[in-house]
Each structure stands twice: as structure tokens, then as C-alpha cells.
Amino acid sequence: EPEVTQTPSHQVTQMGQEVILRCVPISNHLYFYWYRQILGQKVEFLVSFYNNEISEKSEIFDDQFSVERPDGSNFTLKIRSTKLEDSAMYFCASSEGWWSRQTDSYNEQFFGPGTRLTVL
Amino acid sequence: AQSVAQPEDQVNVAEGNPLTVKCTYSVSGNPYLFWYVQYPNRGLQFLLKYITGDNLVKGSYGFEAEFNKSQTSFHLKKPSALVSDSALYFCAVRTRIYNQGGKLIFGQGTELSVKP
């Protein structure tokens, strides 16, 4: 069964450093997402991406964050200058489309296993 | 503002007994509703969704959920719990806005513990 993969599983960095989190979505999916979960808190939406541009972003997703699909398979989240409060589990997700005409239903999002980011 | 509430941080059930994990939501308009499960060191796995139609939705691993519009609830249920059902369960909602994207708004999660 196809699945979303993420690397690395755990990233430790110093405050102020840049990090890039990588995701490989399911191959025929067109919509891509990043979420994060600070320890003990809710899973929060960061950004959605479609057709090589951001579709929607939350207020968390400020100028320090950027996303890119550099090739046909990878989807990356970059944090330019990490802060202590960026420490969290970051989840990538993808979906086949927004709406399936075949099933007349909203396509669910499939999530990766997450990257745990620790900022020291 | 859209929100999802899971009032119980933890639910404890004996194996073989029925289980319920509660979820209530607050959105404008009609929602799309989802349940996801997270096992240790794994990503969120889709369990089931409510889009329209029958209020009782059946999903993976014998789980089902009941949509109640008047109570704005979408409780997850299973008639007979298994020890392997022990995990973290998340309820999520998306509003019916026909645009690109589709962010999910999650509840805080409920830890389900099934004892033998």
C-alpha cells in the first residue's frame, strides 16, 4: 500500500539554524500539506500546496517558513531561522485531489510518520 | 471560529467491552468529519469520514461513528474493543468550502487504553 514518507525521523538543531524537512507524498496525489504538533498539544495546520503554489496557510506559517516541491516527488518544509518554540512533530500529508467525482466525496488526507524537530 | 473538542484525555476500556470516544465540533455550515488514529512512532492513519448521507458511518478495523447534527457530535464507537485498539485517536473537521486546499482542524486527541 502506498504511503507518505518523511525524512529525517528526528532532527536536532541549534536555535537560529535553518532546517529542511523532507516528505515524499503518494505518487498520484496532487495536494500536499504540512501540520505540526507541539508536545502535548493539538495537531495544527500549517500550509497546503497545490499546482506549485500555496493554497492556504495558517497564521503560524510566517516568513520564516517556506515550502517547495523541487522535483516530481519531494515536498519540503524549510524553517529559515529556528526558534525554541519551533520544536514539534511535523507531519506531511497528501491527498489525491480535493474532491473525487468518482466517489462524490472529499478525499481524505494521508499522513506521514512525522519528523520530530528539536531546537536547542 | 472552527473548533473540535475531545472532552476526554483518556478512555479506559476492558477488552471485549464496547468503547466510545467522544467528539464535538463547532463550524459554520455543514462539516466534513474525520477520525484518525495514531500508533506510537507512526503517522496519523485515516479511520473513517462523514460527508453526507447515513448518520452512522463504518470505517476500518470495525470502528464506526455516529454523526448527530443537533448535538454537533461525531462520537467514535466500536462494539467490542481489542487490546490492539490502544492508541491515540483524533477527531478532525473541515468546512464545506469549495476551494483548493482543505485544512483539517483537529481535536486534542484521546488516549484509548484497552486492558485484557
Side-chain angles (χ1 to χ4, degrees):
Chain A
E1 185 178 328
E3 56 183 19
V4 177
T5 59
Q6 291 185 244
T7 54
S9 57
H10 191 188
Q11 174 90 46
V12 181
T13 189
Q14 295 290 325
M15 190 169 57
Q17 294 296 305
E18 174 183 286
V19 295
I20 297 176
L21 309 182
R22 290 183 167 79
C23 167
V24 179
I26 295 173
S27 62
N28 64 332
H29 285 189
L30 301 177
Y31 289 84
F32 313 112
Y33 312 83
W34 283 102
Y35 293 80
R36 79 172 185 190
Q37 184 181 28
I38 295 171
L39 188 64
Q41 297 186 25
K42 294 183 181 186
V43 176
E44 302 171 292
F45 168 79
L46 291 177
V47 66
S48 60
F49 191 85
Y50 169 73
N51 200 26
N52 282 322
E53 60 183 27
I54 290 173
S55 306
E56 189 175 5
K57 61 182 180 179
S58 72
E59 55 202 27
I60 302 169
F61 194 88
D62 61 21
D63 292 344
Q64 291 300 311
F65 291 87
S66 62
V67 289
E68 194 178 27
R69 188 156 162 82
D71 52 41
S73 60
N74 289 285
F75 179 52
T76 62
L77 174 69
K78 182 193 290 186
I79 309 175
R80 286 190 187 81
S81 178
T82 50
K83 307 187 207 52
L84 296 176
E85 55 265 37
D86 292 328
S87 294
M89 181 73 90
Y90 288 80
F91 293 105
C92 174
S94 68
S95 65
E96 188 174 345
W98 184 85
W99 188 264
S100 166
R101 289 201 178 101
Q102 285 179 322
T103 62
D104 191 24
S105 176
Y106 171 69
N107 285 302
E108 57 268 24
Q109 296 175 21
F110 292 84
F111 284 76
T115 293
R116 180 165 297 285
L117 176 65
T118 302
V119 182
L120 302 175
Chain B
Q2 304 165 52
S3 65
V4 179
Q6 293 178 242
E8 301 153 319
D9 290 336
Q10 183 153 13
V11 169
N12 298 308
V13 177
E15 187 174 33
N17 283 0
L19 70 86
T20 298
V21 182
K22 295 179 181 176
C23 171
T24 58
Y25 65 89
S26 174
V27 297
S28 54
N30 293 318
Y32 298 128
L33 294 156
F34 302 82
W35 275 101
Y36 282 83
V37 60
Q38 185 180 29
Y39 297 100
N41 302 315
R42 300 290 299 276
L44 298 165
Q45 294 180 38
F46 169 77
L47 271 182
L48 50 79
K49 64 185 176 186
Y50 172 80
I51 303 298
T52 188
D54 289 341
N55 289 340
L56 187 64
V57 178
K58 294 189 185 298
S60 307
Y61 312 121
F63 284 93
E64 57 190 29
E66 186 166 13
F67 171 64
N68 187 317
K69 187 173 181 178
S70 63
Q71 296 185 2
T72 61
S73 67
F74 189 56
H75 300 331
L76 181 71
K77 299 181 181 184
K78 188 172 182 181
S80 178
L82 300 172
V83 172
S84 57
D85 292 331
S86 298
L88 189 56
Y89 289 81
F90 291 95
C91 182
V93 67
R94 187 194 183 281
T95 52
R96 296 187 184 222
I97 298 173
Y98 291 90
N99 63 355
Q100 295 180 358
K103 68 180 181 185
L104 294 173
I105 297 166
F106 285 89
Q108 66 269 37
T110 298
E111 185 81 44
L112 174 66
S113 177
V114 182
K115 300 293 187 193

